[in-house]
Amino acid sequence: MLEGIIIKNISNCYTVAVKDKTYDCVPRGKFRKEKKTPLVGDHCLIDAKEQYILELLPRKNCLSRPSVANTDYALIVTSLKKPDFSSLLLDKELSCIFLANIKPVICFTKEDLLKEEEKKRYLTLRSYYEKIGIPCFSNTELDDLIKFLQGSIVVLTGQTGAGKTTILNKISPELNLKTNEISTALNRGKHTTRHTEIHVVKNVWFCDTPGFSSLELTNYTKEEIRDSFIEFQEYSCYYRDCMHMREPDCGVKDSVEKGDILKSRYENYQKIVKGELQ
């Protein structure tokens, strides 16, 4: 038996890296019986001769969308234009990532397409996320981003067309990964990445994944969603289990009125808790 890490998945074929070699393997039938699905990022034991995945080793975390395991950071690639920026989608992604026990990093793209007023709103938004402890970069700051991510396993996530694959191509042109145009009629990207695969670039393990145009949090409780808005925990409320909705003497609502909590972020929280997930 050899121990390796799954670096690519297409259908039921998994590419497993073991030191400087790779093996294309299929999972043993017991995984279906045990309702286990191998994920890119999983550490596993394989039979190199028969090309079987024999066992999955314990995970430190996993993300359901995109489906990956054992990542240090989730790099949320976020378009500011074409497709248009959605603070609701960004806040949903942040909640999913925090709930999966993964550290988020935001990379904003297409800043050059913004008008002056839009740029001011973007800078205010970016400053707020940095203030609550989320590292932020733009796609013009890729050298700084690489330095920050050194030695880490990083899952690339974000809306279709936001520029995930383009960022990888800029960091490492020799990858020559396929990109696609944006659909003007639908205001969203067209899927280019069809499978999940790890690319090792400048001492960073980037896990490239298919994008999406919507995201739901229906698998989580309202309390879990509340706690994923990490800055809310800094404010005291009269009720210990306050949901920050209609309760009196709510420190979070007071802080929104004072401008300490970004209004759009609080409004997104309300929409998610109420189930307005479109």
Side-chain angles (χ1 to χ4, degrees), residues 49-107:
K49 184 178 180 180
E50 300 296 331
Q51 295 182 295
Y52 279 119
I53 298 175
L54 302 174
E55 184 178 345
L56 299 179
L57 300 180
R59 296 169 176 163
K60 71 176 182 180
N61 58 45
C62 70
L63 198 59
S64 60
R65 189 170 185 184
S67 298
V68 294
N70 299 316
T71 57
D72 300 307
Y73 292 100
L75 180 61
I76 308 174
V77 181
T78 303
S79 172
L80 296 168
K81 276 279 187 178
K82 296 183 179 180
D84 291 341
F85 172 71
S86 168
S87 66
L88 179 58
L89 183 58
L90 176 57
D91 284 335
K92 290 179 190 177
E93 290 180 88
L94 285 168
S95 288
C96 287
I97 289 161
F98 278 121
L99 289 167
N101 195 31
I102 300 171
K103 299 174 184 176
V105 179
I106 302 172
C107 182

Side-chain angles (χ1 to χ4, degrees), residues 88-132:
L88 179 58
L89 183 58
L90 176 57
D91 284 335
K92 290 179 190 177
E93 290 180 88
L94 285 168
S95 288
C96 287
I97 289 161
F98 278 121
L99 289 167
N101 195 31
I102 300 171
K103 299 174 184 176
V105 179
I106 302 172
C107 182
F108 293 100
T109 65
K110 309 180 187 181
E111 179 184 348
D112 58 305
L113 300 180
L114 297 179
K115 298 177 182 178
E116 281 304 312
E117 281 302 312
E118 293 173 324
K119 191 169 183 177
K120 288 178 183 178
R121 289 195 293 271
Y122 152 65
L123 292 174
T124 297
L125 185 87
R126 172 171 171 166
S127 177
Y128 179 79
Y129 284 118
E130 290 175 329
K131 182 185 78 171
I132 65 174

Side-chain angles (χ1 to χ4, degrees), residues 212-266:
F212 48 81
S213 57
S214 63
L215 185 65
E216 295 192 2
L217 292 166
T218 52
N219 291 333
Y220 298 107
T221 67
K222 293 180 179 181
E223 289 76 17
E224 286 174 324
I225 293 170
R226 174 196 63 197
D227 295 342
S228 72
F229 281 72
I230 53 173
E231 69 270 38
F232 291 3
Q233 300 171 26
E234 298 179 13
Y235 301 96
S236 300
C237 301
Y238 180 81
Y239 295 104
R240 182 177 297 179
D241 60 349
C242 184
M243 288 297 298
H244 319 308
M245 299 292 282
R246 297 180 179 178
E247 298 91 338
D249 299 321
C250 172
V252 167
K253 290 191 292 183
D254 290 344
S255 297
V256 175
E257 292 179 6
K258 294 176 183 176
D260 295 330
I261 292 177
L262 194 66
K263 185 178 180 182
S264 64
R265 182 137 161 97
Y266 176 68

Side-chain angles (χ1 to χ4, degrees), residues 122-184:
Y122 152 65
L123 292 174
T124 297
L125 185 87
R126 172 171 171 166
S127 177
Y128 179 79
Y129 284 118
E130 290 175 329
K131 182 185 78 171
I132 65 174
I134 300 171
C136 295
F137 300 86
S138 77
N139 62 329
T140 61
E141 302 167 323
L142 296 182
D143 288 342
D144 293 335
L145 177 63
I146 287 294
K147 288 178 183 177
F148 180 84
L149 297 173
Q150 278 297 290
S152 301
I153 298 177
V154 181
V155 56
L156 283 149
T157 182
Q159 186 178 15
T160 301
K164 298 183 294 298
T165 303
T166 299
I167 284 175
L168 282 181
N169 282 336
K170 283 185 177 180
I171 295 171
S172 183
E174 63 271 17
L175 288 174
N176 195 29
L177 301 172
K178 184 180 178 182
T179 59
N180 213 336
E181 74 274 15
I182 304 299
S183 169
T184 304

